[in-house]
C-alpha cells in the first residue's frame, strides 16, 4: 500500500478523520447552532439547502488535503511525526486560513464564522498530520 513512499491507507484514514471531525464540529453537539445563527439560517433552511452529494465532495477534498501533507512529507527529509505536523500547520495557515480570511473579509462574512471554520481546519490538519506521521 506504500507506492511512491506514501501510505495511502494512512492518507484515507486521515481524510476520513478530518471529514468526521467536520461532521461533529458542525453538528448540534458542538457548533452547529452557532454556525447556522452566524450564517443567518434556520435549521429548516439548512436542511432544504443540503445535498448529500456535497458530503462525498467534502470527503474527496479531505483526501486531497491529506494527500498533500503526505506528499510534502515524502519530498522532505523531516522526521515523520513532527514533520507531518509542521507541514500541516504551515499548510493550513498559509494555504487554507490566509485565503479563507481574504475571502471572508472581502465578502463581509461574520468573524464568528471565520473563527469556527479556521479553528476546525487547524485542528483537522493537525489530526491529519499526526495520523500520517505516526503511520508512516
Amino acid at each position: 500500500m506504500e507506492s511512491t513512499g506514501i501510505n495511502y491507507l494512512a492518507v484515507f484514514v486521515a481524510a476520513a478523520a478530518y471529514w468526521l471531525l467536520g461532521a461533529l464540529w458542525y453538528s448540534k453537539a458542538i457548533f452547529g447552532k452557532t454556525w447556522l445563527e452566524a450564517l443567518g439560517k434556520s435549521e429548516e433552511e439548512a436542511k432544504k439547502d443540503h445535498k448529500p452529494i456535497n458530503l462525498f465532495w467534502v470527503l474527496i477534498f479531505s483526501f486531497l488535503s491529506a494527500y498533500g501533507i503526505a506528499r510534502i512529507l515524502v519530498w522532505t527529509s523531516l522526521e515523520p511525526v513532527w514533520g507531518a505536523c509542521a507541514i500541516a500547520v504551515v499548510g493550513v495557515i498559509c494555504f487554507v486560513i490566509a485565503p479563507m480570511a481574504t475571502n471572508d473579509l472581502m465578502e463581509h462574512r461574520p468573524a464568528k464564522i471565520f473563527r469556527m471554520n479556521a479553528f476546525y481546519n487547524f485542528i483537522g490538519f493537525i489530526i491529519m498530520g499526526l495520523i500520517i506521521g505516526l503511520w508512516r
Side-chain angles (χ1 to χ4, degrees):
M1 183 77 54
E2 282 196 50
S3 65
T4 69
I6 292 177
N7 181 339
Y8 287 97
L9 183 57
V11 169
F12 181 77
V13 169
Y18 185 39
W19 186 75
L20 290 171
L21 175 66
L24 181 61
W25 193 269
Y26 295 104
S27 72
K28 289 180 190 177
I30 302 188
F31 292 117
K33 186 176 183 227
T34 306
W35 180 63
L36 286 176
E37 286 172 2
L39 287 173
K41 288 188 174 189
S42 68
E43 191 172 335
E44 294 76 31
E45 289 172 309
K47 285 180 183 176
K48 188 178 113 189
D49 292 344
H50 175 70
K51 294 180 179 111
I53 190 70
N54 290 349
L55 296 175
F56 169 77
W57 284 111
V58 171
L59 181 59
I60 295 299
F61 298 141
S62 298
F63 180 83
L64 289 173
S65 295
Y67 175 82
I69 294 168
R71 171 54 56 205
I72 294 169
L73 184 60
V74 167
W75 287 340
T76 66
S77 59
L78 298 171
E79 186 276 327
V81 176
W82 296 113
C85 287
I87 291 164
V89 168
V90 169
V92 75
I93 291 171
C94 296
F95 304 118
V96 177
I97 293 175
M100 190 173 70
T102 300
N103 293 342
D104 286 3
L105 182 67
M106 297 308 291
E107 293 171 0
H108 307 286
R109 292 178 58 122
K112 185 183 279 189
I113 292 174
F114 171 76
R115 287 190 302 271
M116 279 186 278
N117 292 339
F119 196 52
Y120 155 67
N121 285 292
F122 189 80
I123 298 298
F125 267 58
I126 290 173
I127 289 169
M128 288 192 296
L130 282 170
I131 291 169
I132 292 164
L134 287 168
W135 206 340
R136 180 141 190 235

PDB file of all heavy atoms in Angstrom, residues 22-55:
ATOM      1  N   GLY A  22     -15.377  17.294  10.821  1.00  0.00           N
ATOM      2  CA  GLY A  22     -16.292  18.308  10.282  1.00  0.00           C
ATOM      3  C   GLY A  22     -17.735  17.983  10.585  1.00  0.00           C
ATOM      4  O   GLY A  22     -18.522  18.868  10.953  1.00  0.00           O
ATOM      5  N   ALA A  23     -18.107  16.707  10.439  1.00  0.00           N
ATOM      6  CA  ALA A  23     -19.483  16.295  10.742  1.00  0.00           C
ATOM      7  C   ALA A  23     -19.817  16.563  12.207  1.00  0.00           C
ATOM      8  O   ALA A  23     -20.907  17.045  12.529  1.00  0.00           O
ATOM      9  CB  ALA A  23     -19.669  14.818  10.411  1.00  0.00           C
ATOM     10  N   LEU A  24     -18.878  16.283  13.080  1.00  0.00           N
ATOM     11  CA  LEU A  24     -19.091  16.532  14.507  1.00  0.00           C
ATOM     12  C   LEU A  24     -19.033  18.031  14.817  1.00  0.00           C
ATOM     13  O   LEU A  24     -19.881  18.563  15.541  1.00  0.00           O
ATOM     14  CB  LEU A  24     -18.042  15.777  15.331  1.00  0.00           C
ATOM     15  CG  LEU A  24     -18.136  15.899  16.839  1.00  0.00           C
ATOM     16  CD1 LEU A  24     -19.470  15.346  17.342  1.00  0.00           C
ATOM     17  CD2 LEU A  24     -16.989  15.160  17.502  1.00  0.00           C
ATOM     18  N   TRP A  25     -18.052  18.720  14.260  1.00  0.00           N
ATOM     19  CA  TRP A  25     -17.822  20.143  14.518  1.00  0.00           C
ATOM     20  C   TRP A  25     -19.055  20.979  14.205  1.00  0.00           C
ATOM     21  O   TRP A  25     -19.428  21.873  14.954  1.00  0.00           O
ATOM     22  CB  TRP A  25     -16.647  20.610  13.659  1.00  0.00           C
ATOM     23  CG  TRP A  25     -16.071  21.937  14.005  1.00  0.00           C
ATOM     24  CD1 TRP A  25     -16.444  23.154  13.495  1.00  0.00           C
ATOM     25  CD2 TRP A  25     -15.008  22.197  14.910  1.00  0.00           C
ATOM     26  NE1 TRP A  25     -15.659  24.152  14.021  1.00  0.00           N
ATOM     27  CE2 TRP A  25     -14.772  23.581  14.897  1.00  0.00           C
ATOM     28  CE3 TRP A  25     -14.221  21.387  15.719  1.00  0.00           C
ATOM     29  CZ2 TRP A  25     -13.783  24.171  15.669  1.00  0.00           C
ATOM     30  CZ3 TRP A  25     -13.246  21.979  16.470  1.00  0.00           C
ATOM     31  CH2 TRP A  25     -13.029  23.356  16.460  1.00  0.00           C
ATOM     32  N   TYR A  26     -19.691  20.682  13.059  1.00  0.00           N
ATOM     33  CA  TYR A  26     -20.833  21.470  12.609  1.00  0.00           C
ATOM     34  C   TYR A  26     -22.171  20.837  13.002  1.00  0.00           C
ATOM     35  O   TYR A  26     -23.215  21.248  12.508  1.00  0.00           O
ATOM     36  CB  TYR A  26     -20.755  21.700  11.100  1.00  0.00           C
ATOM     37  CG  TYR A  26     -19.552  22.542  10.731  1.00  0.00           C
ATOM     38  CD1 TYR A  26     -18.418  21.975  10.169  1.00  0.00           C
ATOM     39  CD2 TYR A  26     -19.545  23.912  10.973  1.00  0.00           C
ATOM     40  CE1 TYR A  26     -17.307  22.755   9.850  1.00  0.00           C
ATOM     41  CE2 TYR A  26     -18.453  24.693  10.667  1.00  0.00           C
ATOM     42  CZ  TYR A  26     -17.339  24.106  10.095  1.00  0.00           C
ATOM     43  OH  TYR A  26     -16.249  24.882   9.789  1.00  0.00           O
ATOM     44  N   SER A  27     -22.131  19.860  13.898  1.00  0.00           N
ATOM     45  CA  SER A  27     -23.362  19.246  14.389  1.00  0.00           C
ATOM     46  C   SER A  27     -23.930  20.076  15.536  1.00  0.00           C
ATOM     47  O   SER A  27     -23.267  20.964  16.067  1.00  0.00           O
ATOM     48  CB  SER A  27     -23.080  17.822  14.880  1.00  0.00           C
ATOM     49  OG  SER A  27     -22.359  17.864  16.103  1.00  0.00           O
ATOM     50  N   LYS A  28     -25.150  19.748  15.917  1.00  0.00           N
ATOM     51  CA  LYS A  28     -25.782  20.431  17.056  1.00  0.00           C
ATOM     52  C   LYS A  28     -24.965  20.249  18.337  1.00  0.00           C
ATOM     53  O   LYS A  28     -25.006  21.101  19.209  1.00  0.00           O
ATOM     54  CB  LYS A  28     -27.191  19.883  17.288  1.00  0.00           C
ATOM     55  CG  LYS A  28     -28.186  20.273  16.241  1.00  0.00           C
ATOM     56  CD  LYS A  28     -29.538  19.667  16.608  1.00  0.00           C
ATOM     57  CE  LYS A  28     -30.528  19.810  15.498  1.00  0.00           C
ATOM     58  NZ  LYS A  28     -31.804  19.160  15.826  1.00  0.00           N
ATOM     59  N   ALA A  29     -24.241  19.139  18.413  1.00  0.00           N
ATOM     60  CA  ALA A  29     -23.487  18.832  19.631  1.00  0.00           C
ATOM     61  C   ALA A  29     -22.368  19.839  19.898  1.00  0.00           C
ATOM     62  O   ALA A  29     -22.003  20.064  21.045  1.00  0.00           O
ATOM     63  CB  ALA A  29     -22.890  17.430  19.545  1.00  0.00           C
ATOM     64  N   ILE A  30     -21.838  20.470  18.854  1.00  0.00           N
ATOM     65  CA  ILE A  30     -20.731  21.400  19.062  1.00  0.00           C
ATOM     66  C   ILE A  30     -21.105  22.794  18.571  1.00  0.00           C
ATOM     67  O   ILE A  30     -21.602  23.604  19.332  1.00  0.00           O
ATOM     68  CB  ILE A  30     -19.419  20.879  18.437  1.00  0.00           C
ATOM     69  CG1 ILE A  30     -19.072  19.511  19.048  1.00  0.00           C
ATOM     70  CG2 ILE A  30     -18.278  21.855  18.676  1.00  0.00           C
ATOM     71  CD1 ILE A  30     -17.740  18.951  18.696  1.00  0.00           C
ATOM     72  N   PHE A  31     -20.847  23.116  17.291  1.00  0.00           N
ATOM     73  CA  PHE A  31     -21.037  24.486  16.808  1.00  0.00           C
ATOM     74  C   PHE A  31     -22.182  24.646  15.812  1.00  0.00           C
ATOM     75  O   PHE A  31     -22.337  25.725  15.242  1.00  0.00           O
ATOM     76  CB  PHE A  31     -19.746  25.004  16.151  1.00  0.00           C
ATOM     77  CG  PHE A  31     -18.619  25.209  17.117  1.00  0.00           C
ATOM     78  CD1 PHE A  31     -17.462  24.461  16.997  1.00  0.00           C
ATOM     79  CD2 PHE A  31     -18.711  26.143  18.134  1.00  0.00           C
ATOM     80  CE1 PHE A  31     -16.403  24.647  17.877  1.00  0.00           C
ATOM     81  CE2 PHE A  31     -17.662  26.337  19.012  1.00  0.00           C
ATOM     82  CZ  PHE A  31     -16.511  25.583  18.883  1.00  0.00           C
ATOM     83  N   GLY A  32     -22.955  23.610  15.561  1.00  0.00           N
ATOM     84  CA  GLY A  32     -23.989  23.666  14.536  1.00  0.00           C
ATOM     85  C   GLY A  32     -24.966  24.818  14.700  1.00  0.00           C
ATOM     86  O   GLY A  32     -25.229  25.566  13.754  1.00  0.00           O
ATOM     87  N   LYS A  33     -25.479  24.981  15.896  1.00  0.00           N
ATOM     88  CA  LYS A  33     -26.460  26.040  16.136  1.00  0.00           C
ATOM     89  C   LYS A  33     -25.823  27.427  15.978  1.00  0.00           C
ATOM     90  O   LYS A  33     -26.376  28.310  15.310  1.00  0.00           O
ATOM     91  CB  LYS A  33     -27.053  25.895  17.541  1.00  0.00           C
ATOM     92  CG  LYS A  33     -28.165  26.860  17.830  1.00  0.00           C
ATOM     93  CD  LYS A  33     -28.791  26.606  19.192  1.00  0.00           C
ATOM     94  CE  LYS A  33     -29.936  27.568  19.378  1.00  0.00           C
ATOM     95  NZ  LYS A  33     -29.947  28.220  20.635  1.00  0.00           N
ATOM     96  N   THR A  34     -24.655  27.606  16.550  1.00  0.00           N
ATOM     97  CA  THR A  34     -23.941  28.883  16.453  1.00  0.00           C
ATOM     98  C   THR A  34     -23.574  29.186  15.009  1.00  0.00           C
ATOM     99  O   THR A  34     -23.694  30.323  14.551  1.00  0.00           O
ATOM    100  CB  THR A  34     -22.661  28.841  17.318  1.00  0.00           C
ATOM    101  OG1 THR A  34     -23.028  28.470  18.646  1.00  0.00           O
ATOM    102  CG2 THR A  34     -21.949  30.172  17.325  1.00  0.00           C
ATOM    103  N   TRP A  35     -23.146  28.165  14.276  1.00  0.00           N
ATOM    104  CA  TRP A  35     -22.770  28.318  12.879  1.00  0.00           C
ATOM    105  C   TRP A  35     -23.969  28.765  12.045  1.00  0.00           C
ATOM    106  O   TRP A  35     -23.869  29.708  11.256  1.00  0.00           O
ATOM    107  CB  TRP A  35     -22.194  26.997  12.387  1.00  0.00           C
ATOM    108  CG  TRP A  35     -21.757  26.950  10.962  1.00  0.00           C
ATOM    109  CD1 TRP A  35     -20.771  27.682  10.380  1.00  0.00           C
ATOM    110  CD2 TRP A  35     -22.280  26.105   9.949  1.00  0.00           C
ATOM    111  NE1 TRP A  35     -20.648  27.338   9.050  1.00  0.00           N
ATOM    112  CE2 TRP A  35     -21.569  26.361   8.766  1.00  0.00           C
ATOM    113  CE3 TRP A  35     -23.273  25.131   9.928  1.00  0.00           C
ATOM    114  CZ2 TRP A  35     -21.821  25.692   7.579  1.00  0.00           C
ATOM    115  CZ3 TRP A  35     -23.523  24.465   8.749  1.00  0.00           C
ATOM    116  CH2 TRP A  35     -22.802  24.757   7.589  1.00  0.00           C
ATOM    117  N   LEU A  36     -25.125  28.106  12.239  1.00  0.00           N
ATOM    118  CA  LEU A  36     -26.328  28.485  11.493  1.00  0.00           C
ATOM    119  C   LEU A  36     -26.772  29.904  11.838  1.00  0.00           C
ATOM    120  O   LEU A  36     -27.155  30.670  10.950  1.00  0.00           O
ATOM    121  CB  LEU A  36     -27.463  27.490  11.761  1.00  0.00           C
ATOM    122  CG  LEU A  36     -27.330  26.134  11.085  1.00  0.00           C
ATOM    123  CD1 LEU A  36     -28.467  25.206  11.519  1.00  0.00           C
ATOM    124  CD2 LEU A  36     -27.298  26.265   9.569  1.00  0.00           C
ATOM    125  N   GLU A  37     -26.710  30.258  13.108  1.00  0.00           N
ATOM    126  CA  GLU A  37     -27.077  31.624  13.513  1.00  0.00           C
ATOM    127  C   GLU A  37     -26.164  32.653  12.854  1.00  0.00           C
ATOM    128  O   GLU A  37     -26.632  33.681  12.367  1.00  0.00           O
ATOM    129  CB  GLU A  37     -27.001  31.767  15.034  1.00  0.00           C
ATOM    130  CG  GLU A  37     -28.120  31.087  15.777  1.00  0.00           C
ATOM    131  CD  GLU A  37     -27.921  31.082  17.290  1.00  0.00           C
ATOM    132  OE1 GLU A  37     -26.913  31.658  17.782  1.00  0.00           O
ATOM    133  OE2 GLU A  37     -28.751  30.482  17.977  1.00  0.00           O
ATOM    134  N   ALA A  38     -24.873  32.367  12.819  1.00  0.00           N
ATOM    135  CA  ALA A  38     -23.921  33.299  12.198  1.00  0.00           C
ATOM    136  C   ALA A  38     -24.174  33.417  10.692  1.00  0.00           C
ATOM    137  O   ALA A  38     -23.965  34.477  10.108  1.00  0.00           O
ATOM    138  CB  ALA A  38     -22.494  32.850  12.467  1.00  0.00           C
ATOM    139  N   LEU A  39     -24.643  32.336  10.077  1.00  0.00           N
ATOM    140  CA  LEU A  39     -24.979  32.369   8.657  1.00  0.00           C
ATOM    141  C   LEU A  39     -26.332  33.033   8.403  1.00  0.00           C
ATOM    142  O   LEU A  39     -26.658  33.356   7.264  1.00  0.00           O
ATOM    143  CB  LEU A  39     -25.015  30.946   8.080  1.00  0.00           C
ATOM    144  CG  LEU A  39     -23.692  30.239   7.874  1.00  0.00           C
ATOM    145  CD1 LEU A  39     -23.920  28.785   7.457  1.00  0.00           C
ATOM    146  CD2 LEU A  39     -22.850  30.954   6.837  1.00  0.00           C
ATOM    147  N   GLY A  40     -27.111  33.178   9.479  1.00  0.00           N
ATOM    148  CA  GLY A  40     -28.444  33.750   9.336  1.00  0.00           C
ATOM    149  C   GLY A  40     -29.439  32.764   8.742  1.00  0.00           C
ATOM    150  O   GLY A  40     -30.375  33.150   8.057  1.00  0.00           O
ATOM    151  N   LYS A  41     -29.233  31.470   9.029  1.00  0.00           N
ATOM    152  CA  LYS A  41     -30.109  30.426   8.508  1.00  0.00           C
ATOM    153  C   LYS A  41     -30.782  29.674   9.642  1.00  0.00           C
ATOM    154  O   LYS A  41     -30.196  29.497  10.707  1.00  0.00           O
ATOM    155  CB  LYS A  41     -29.320  29.420   7.666  1.00  0.00           C
ATOM    156  CG  LYS A  41     -28.857  29.935   6.350  1.00  0.00           C
ATOM    157  CD  LYS A  41     -28.270  28.810   5.536  1.00  0.00           C
ATOM    158  CE  LYS A  41     -27.941  29.300   4.144  1.00  0.00           C
ATOM    159  NZ  LYS A  41     -27.574  28.197   3.258  1.00  0.00           N
ATOM    160  N   SER A  42     -31.980  29.209   9.345  1.00  0.00           N
ATOM    161  CA  SER A  42     -32.662  28.326  10.291  1.00  0.00           C
ATOM    162  C   SER A  42     -32.255  26.891   9.970  1.00  0.00           C
ATOM    163  O   SER A  42     -31.701  26.605   8.898  1.00  0.00           O
ATOM    164  CB  SER A  42     -34.178  28.475  10.155  1.00  0.00           C
ATOM    165  OG  SER A  42     -34.596  27.963   8.896  1.00  0.00           O
ATOM    166  N   GLU A  43     -32.568  25.998  10.886  1.00  0.00           N
ATOM    167  CA  GLU A  43     -32.260  24.586  10.664  1.00  0.00           C
ATOM    168  C   GLU A  43     -33.041  24.063   9.449  1.00  0.00           C
ATOM    169  O   GLU A  43     -32.521  23.268   8.665  1.00  0.00           O
ATOM    170  CB  GLU A  43     -32.607  23.780  11.914  1.00  0.00           C
ATOM    171  CG  GLU A  43     -32.088  22.376  11.884  1.00  0.00           C
ATOM    172  CD  GLU A  43     -32.271  21.640  13.188  1.00  0.00           C
ATOM    173  OE1 GLU A  43     -32.364  22.294  14.245  1.00  0.00           O
ATOM    174  OE2 GLU A  43     -32.330  20.405  13.145  1.00  0.00           O
ATOM    175  N   GLU A  44     -34.259  24.543   9.292  1.00  0.00           N
ATOM    176  CA  GLU A  44     -35.081  24.128   8.151  1.00  0.00           C
ATOM    177  C   GLU A  44     -34.452  24.584   6.827  1.00  0.00           C
ATOM    178  O   GLU A  44     -34.439  23.840   5.846  1.00  0.00           O
ATOM    179  CB  GLU A  44     -36.507  24.689   8.269  1.00  0.00           C
ATOM    180  CG  GLU A  44     -37.298  24.126   9.430  1.00  0.00           C
ATOM    181  CD  GLU A  44     -36.884  24.698  10.785  1.00  0.00           C
ATOM    182  OE1 GLU A  44     -36.461  25.876  10.854  1.00  0.00           O
ATOM    183  OE2 GLU A  44     -36.960  23.950  11.777  1.00  0.00           O
ATOM    184  N   GLU A  45     -33.954  25.817   6.806  1.00  0.00           N
ATOM    185  CA  GLU A  45     -33.293  26.320   5.591  1.00  0.00           C
ATOM    186  C   GLU A  45     -32.043  25.505   5.269  1.00  0.00           C
ATOM    187  O   GLU A  45     -31.782  25.186   4.107  1.00  0.00           O
ATOM    188  CB  GLU A  45     -32.915  27.789   5.747  1.00  0.00           C
ATOM    189  CG  GLU A  45     -34.088  28.734   5.751  1.00  0.00           C
ATOM    190  CD  GLU A  45     -33.674  30.151   6.108  1.00  0.00           C
ATOM    191  OE1 GLU A  45     -32.994  30.337   7.141  1.00  0.00           O
ATOM    192  OE2 GLU A  45     -34.030  31.070   5.336  1.00  0.00           O
ATOM    193  N   ALA A  46     -31.296  25.175   6.289  1.00  0.00           N
ATOM    194  CA  ALA A  46     -30.080  24.385   6.089  1.00  0.00           C
ATOM    195  C   ALA A  46     -30.428  23.001   5.552  1.00  0.00           C
ATOM    196  O   ALA A  46     -29.750  22.499   4.641  1.00  0.00           O
ATOM    197  CB  ALA A  46     -29.298  24.282   7.387  1.00  0.00           C
ATOM    198  N   LYS A  47     -31.466  22.384   6.089  1.00  0.00           N
ATOM    199  CA  LYS A  47     -31.884  21.063   5.603  1.00  0.00           C
ATOM    200  C   LYS A  47     -32.354  21.144   4.153  1.00  0.00           C
ATOM    201  O   LYS A  47     -32.080  20.255   3.358  1.00  0.00           O
ATOM    202  CB  LYS A  47     -32.985  20.492   6.492  1.00  0.00           C
ATOM    203  CG  LYS A  47     -32.477  19.981   7.816  1.00  0.00           C
ATOM    204  CD  LYS A  47     -33.589  19.425   8.670  1.00  0.00           C
ATOM    205  CE  LYS A  47     -33.053  18.995  10.011  1.00  0.00           C
ATOM    206  NZ  LYS A  47     -34.091  18.522  10.919  1.00  0.00           N
ATOM    207  N   LYS A  48     -33.055  22.225   3.818  1.00  0.00           N
ATOM    208  CA  LYS A  48     -33.542  22.416   2.448  1.00  0.00           C
ATOM    209  C   LYS A  48     -32.374  22.586   1.476  1.00  0.00           C
ATOM    210  O   LYS A  48     -32.401  22.082   0.357  1.00  0.00           O
ATOM    211  CB  LYS A  48     -34.461  23.638   2.397  1.00  0.00           C
ATOM    212  CG  LYS A  48     -35.176  23.809   1.075  1.00  0.00           C
ATOM    213  CD  LYS A  48     -36.091  25.009   1.126  1.00  0.00           C
ATOM    214  CE  LYS A  48     -35.518  26.016   0.164  1.00  0.00           C
ATOM    215  NZ  LYS A  48     -36.085  27.310   0.179  1.00  0.00           N
ATOM    216  N   ASP A  49     -31.336  23.281   1.904  1.00  0.00           N
ATOM    217  CA  ASP A  49     -30.163  23.531   1.060  1.00  0.00           C
ATOM    218  C   ASP A  49     -29.215  22.337   0.969  1.00  0.00           C
ATOM    219  O   ASP A  49     -28.350  22.297   0.100  1.00  0.00           O
ATOM    220  CB  ASP A  49     -29.368  24.733   1.587  1.00  0.00           C
ATOM    221  CG  ASP A  49     -30.111  26.044   1.426  1.00  0.00           C
ATOM    222  OD1 ASP A  49     -31.082  26.089   0.646  1.00  0.00           O
ATOM    223  OD2 ASP A  49     -29.712  27.025   2.082  1.00  0.00           O
ATOM    224  N   HIS A  50     -29.356  21.381   1.887  1.00  0.00           N
ATOM    225  CA  HIS A  50     -28.413  20.260   1.969  1.00  0.00           C
ATOM    226  C   HIS A  50     -28.555  19.323   0.770  1.00  0.00           C
ATOM    227  O   HIS A  50     -29.645  18.938   0.389  1.00  0.00           O
ATOM    228  CB  HIS A  50     -28.642  19.473   3.266  1.00  0.00           C
ATOM    229  CG  HIS A  50     -27.795  18.252   3.367  1.00  0.00           C
ATOM    230  ND1 HIS A  50     -26.438  18.307   3.559  1.00  0.00           N
ATOM    231  CD2 HIS A  50     -28.106  16.945   3.262  1.00  0.00           C
ATOM    232  CE1 HIS A  50     -25.951  17.084   3.589  1.00  0.00           C
ATOM    233  NE2 HIS A  50     -26.943  16.243   3.408  1.00  0.00           N
ATOM    234  N   LYS A  51     -27.409  18.970   0.186  1.00  0.00           N
ATOM    235  CA  LYS A  51     -27.356  17.983  -0.894  1.00  0.00           C
ATOM    236  C   LYS A  51     -26.390  16.885  -0.460  1.00  0.00           C
ATOM    237  O   LYS A  51     -25.214  17.162  -0.199  1.00  0.00           O
ATOM    238  CB  LYS A  51     -26.873  18.637  -2.182  1.00  0.00           C
ATOM    239  CG  LYS A  51     -27.829  19.663  -2.729  1.00  0.00           C
ATOM    240  CD  LYS A  51     -27.292  20.264  -4.013  1.00  0.00           C
ATOM    241  CE  LYS A  51     -28.289  21.259  -4.542  1.00  0.00           C
ATOM    242  NZ  LYS A  51     -27.845  22.618  -4.479  1.00  0.00           N
ATOM    243  N   PRO A  52     -26.852  15.643  -0.354  1.00  0.00           N
ATOM    244  CA  PRO A  52     -25.971  14.550   0.081  1.00  0.00           C
ATOM    245  C   PRO A  52     -24.691  14.422  -0.733  1.00  0.00           C
ATOM    246  O   PRO A  52     -23.654  14.053  -0.193  1.00  0.00           O
ATOM    247  CB  PRO A  52     -26.851  13.304  -0.052  1.00  0.00           C
ATOM    248  CG  PRO A  52     -28.248  13.823   0.084  1.00  0.00           C
ATOM    249  CD  PRO A  52     -28.229  15.187  -0.559  1.00  0.00           C
ATOM    250  N   ILE A  53     -24.729  14.749  -2.015  1.00  0.00           N
ATOM    251  CA  ILE A  53     -23.528  14.644  -2.852  1.00  0.00           C
ATOM    252  C   ILE A  53     -22.410  15.545  -2.329  1.00  0.00           C
ATOM    253  O   ILE A  53     -21.229  15.245  -2.519  1.00  0.00           O
ATOM    254  CB  ILE A  53     -23.846  14.961  -4.338  1.00  0.00           C
ATOM    255  CG1 ILE A  53     -22.656  14.618  -5.245  1.00  0.00           C
ATOM    256  CG2 ILE A  53     -24.224  16.427  -4.519  1.00  0.00           C
ATOM    257  CD1 ILE A  53     -22.382  13.170  -5.399  1.00  0.00           C
ATOM    258  N   ASN A  54     -22.765  16.624  -1.639  1.00  0.00           N
ATOM    259  CA  ASN A  54     -21.743  17.521  -1.090  1.00  0.00           C
ATOM    260  C   ASN A  54     -20.871  16.811  -0.060  1.00  0.00           C
ATOM    261  O   ASN A  54     -19.683  17.112   0.056  1.00  0.00           O
ATOM    262  CB  ASN A  54     -22.378  18.765  -0.480  1.00  0.00           C
ATOM    263  CG  ASN A  54     -22.954  19.675  -1.541  1.00  0.00           C
ATOM    264  OD1 ASN A  54     -22.716  19.492  -2.733  1.00  0.00           O
ATOM    265  ND2 ASN A  54     -23.722  20.662  -1.126  1.00  0.00           N
ATOM    266  N   LEU A  55     -21.449  15.877   0.679  1.00  0.00           N
ATOM    267  CA  LEU A  55     -20.662  15.121   1.661  1.00  0.00           C
ATOM    268  C   LEU A  55     -19.594  14.286   0.962  1.00  0.00           C
ATOM    269  O   LEU A  55     -18.473  14.152   1.456  1.00  0.00           O
ATOM    270  CB  LEU A  55     -21.567  14.244   2.517  1.00  0.00           C
ATOM    271  CG  LEU A  55     -22.566  15.001   3.383  1.00  0.00           C
ATOM    272  CD1 LEU A  55     -23.499  14.031   4.085  1.00  0.00           C
ATOM    273  CD2 LEU A  55     -21.849  15.889   4.384  1.00  0.00           C
TER     274      LEU A  55
END
